[in-house]
């Protein structure tokens, strides 16, 4: 068994600190989350105050009685499962005492908030943040070279991790099993664990934020890939911020405790210093300047990456719609003498539609990209699943230093290209034309809906929308 070092303790404490800080930051949302997760009413305030007061006093007493605290006992127990801790007892006791100070502060913060002393709560939270951020071992981690032995894949690591966590209760094992399937799908089951980076973990959390609640009828029985590839999920159907944090904690257990500590496969965990803060469930738009930067970058790419991303930007279509296109779906409209794409697969009648191609994307040479290819051939056979395209886009967005969140804490992901297109088009054209262009159900037309057939909108009718969107 690996000998415990000071760096190992620092890595362990870093994850613990992040968890307690997340707990304190989530205190204002506790009551609401309890109701959202099925409780009829939130836990009574006096009960919460009694619990917080008890633990605050408990941690205080432990500082002065000289005995081994519950925190130190826990540290020894957990670290001993993955390390030889002999000779490191004093270092563990010191780390446990410092962590107990944070635990004490967390209860003080809880009491201040429950007493409606919001300023006091914020002061305690602010005091905790620098302490929780002190341990940053990833910054000084040595460069890691590939071992000569075959690299451990994520799928193999998950299999070992499940055996390592044999003490999980059945319900926890079932839920975590579902989460791990999502994690493997997003990060890649065959990916070497040594290749998974901090950026990958952050992008994983972005994908997870857009997942639906699996206990709802519409999503039951779907595979991990099917869930990830869903677009236009109603906000009320999205998972809670607590569940997103559960994913992060599971990743911390897999990469930090198991792969870094127990297996000694990694020099540092990609989850180090990755934190999650609850965000709005709404999708945000990209600004015109950001869209210009994105599109300019798309144009420097080659093949499927270039044209799939440009089509998303200039049509407002869904990922799945672009990925499923064949060469024969690109057609010429005789009335307007303009090319359009025929989207023939959709879960709704409104989604089946003709989408005119912008003059801008035609001038870039899209038709030349299709030359000498059979009509039945997929335009993008290289894209085997939607998240493959999302990973490419997220990497580009991050490289261009375009923030994931806008000023309103709204999420900006690949699906936001569609939102941005719709927002821009809606400022220039009537609602019904925009709805037909992007495949939304027609609305706000009263009795005229009886006389307005979905297919009555021609390519000529929709061309003004296509040509009005110019991101350069």
């Amino acid at each position: 068994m690996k000998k415990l070092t000071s760096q190992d303790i620092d890595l362990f404490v870093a994850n613990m600190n992040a968890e307690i800080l997340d707990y304190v930051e989530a205190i204002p949302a506790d009551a609401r989350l309890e109701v959202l997760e099925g409780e009829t009413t939130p836990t009574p305030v006096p009960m919460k105050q009694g619990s917080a007061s008890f633990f605050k006093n408990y941690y205080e007493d432990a500082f002065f009685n000289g005995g081994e605290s519950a925190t130190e006992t826990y540290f020894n127990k957990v670290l001993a499962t993955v390390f030889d801790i002999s000779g490191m007892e004093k270092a563990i006791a010191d780390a446990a005492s410092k962590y107990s100070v944070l635990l004490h502060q967390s209860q003080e913060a809880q009491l201040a908030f429950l007493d409606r002393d919001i300023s006091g709560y914020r002061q305690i939270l602010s005091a905790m943040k620098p302490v929780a951020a002190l341990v940053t071992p990833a910054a000084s981690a040595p460069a890691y070279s590939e071992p000569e032995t075959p690299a451990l894949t994520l799928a193999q690591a998950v299999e070992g991790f499940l055996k390592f966590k044999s003490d999980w209760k059945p319900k926890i094992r079932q839920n975590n099993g579902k989460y791990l399937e999502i994690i493997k799908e997003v990060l890649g089951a065959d990916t070497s664990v040594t290749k998974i980076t901090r950026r990958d973990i952050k992008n994983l959390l972005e994908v997870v934020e857009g997942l639906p609640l699996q206990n709802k009828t519409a999503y039951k029985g779907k595979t991990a890939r099917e869930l990830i590839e869903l677009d236009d999920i109603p906000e009320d159907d999205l998972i809670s911020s607590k569940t997103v944090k559960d994913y992060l904690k599971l990743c911390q257990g897999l990469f930090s405790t198991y792969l870094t500590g127990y297996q000694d496969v990694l020099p540092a965990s990609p989850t180090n210093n990755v934190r999650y803060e609850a965000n709005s469930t709404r999708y945000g738009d990209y600004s015109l300047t950001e869209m210009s930067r994105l599109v300019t970058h798309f144009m420097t790419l080659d093949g499927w990456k270039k044209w799939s991303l440009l089509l998303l930007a200039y049509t407002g279509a869904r990922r799945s719609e672009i990925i499923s296109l064949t060469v024969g779906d690109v057609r010429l409209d005789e009335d307007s003498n303009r090319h359009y794409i025929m989207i023939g697969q959709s879960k709704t009648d409104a989604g089946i539609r003709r989408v005119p191609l912008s003059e801008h994307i035609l001038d870039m040479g899209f038709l030349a990209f299709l030359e000498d290819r059979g009509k039945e051939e997929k335009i993008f056979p290289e894209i085997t699943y939607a998240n493959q395209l999302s990973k490419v886009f997220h990497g580009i967005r991050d490289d261009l230093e375009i923030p994931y969140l806008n000023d309103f804490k709204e999420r900006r992901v690949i699906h936001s290209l569609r939102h941005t297109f719709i927002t821009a088009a809606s400022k220039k054209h009537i609602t019904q034309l925009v709805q037909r262009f992007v495949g939304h159900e027609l609305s706000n037309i009263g009795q005229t809906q009886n006389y307005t057939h979905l297919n009555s909108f021609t390519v000529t009718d929709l061309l003004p929308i296509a040509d009005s969107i110019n991101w350069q």
Side-chain angles (χ1 to χ4, degrees), residues 68-220:
E68 182 176 298
S69 68
T71 305
E72 185 179 342
T73 301
Y74 174 76
F75 275 31
N76 279 317
K77 179 180 177 181
V78 173
L79 291 171
T81 63
V82 291
F83 299 105
D84 173 6
I85 66 172
S86 59
M88 296 296 288
E89 290 81 7
K90 289 184 179 180
I92 294 173
D94 180 63
S97 296
K98 291 175 181 176
Y99 180 68
S100 291
V101 173
L102 281 181
L103 289 174
H104 180 267
Q105 287 179 299
S106 73
Q107 301 310 301
E108 286 186 318
Q110 176 80 285
L111 287 170
F113 187 83
L114 294 173
D115 286 339
R116 305 199 176 195
D117 180 8
I118 307 302
S119 295
Y121 159 79
R122 291 183 65 85
Q123 287 175 0
I124 296 170
L125 176 60
S126 296
M128 292 178 68
K129 285 184 176 180
V131 178
L134 281 178
V135 182
T136 55
S140 58
Y144 182 69
S145 58
E146 284 285 334
E148 294 181 2
T149 55
L152 184 72
T153 67
L154 180 59
Q156 293 169 331
V158 167
E159 183 180 358
F161 180 59
L162 287 171
K163 293 177 181 177
F164 177 69
K165 288 292 187 179
S166 59
D167 59 341
W168 274 344
K169 294 181 180 178
K171 186 174 181 180
I172 293 175
R173 177 169 289 274
Q174 181 182 26
N175 286 336
N176 285 347
K178 291 179 181 179
Y179 296 167
L180 287 167
E181 287 302 311
I182 294 288
I183 291 169
K184 287 193 296 182
E185 187 63 43
V186 175
L187 299 180
D190 295 330
T191 302
S192 166
V193 294
T194 62
K195 299 293 186 182
I196 295 172
T197 66
R198 186 169 178 265
R199 172 187 278 186
D200 293 327
I201 300 299
K202 293 175 70 176
N203 285 339
L204 165 68
L205 298 181
E206 291 183 19
V207 173
V208 168
E209 277 191 309
L211 291 176
L213 293 161
Q214 294 186 48
N215 60 357
K216 291 208 168 188
T217 303
Y219 314 109
K220 283 183 177 179

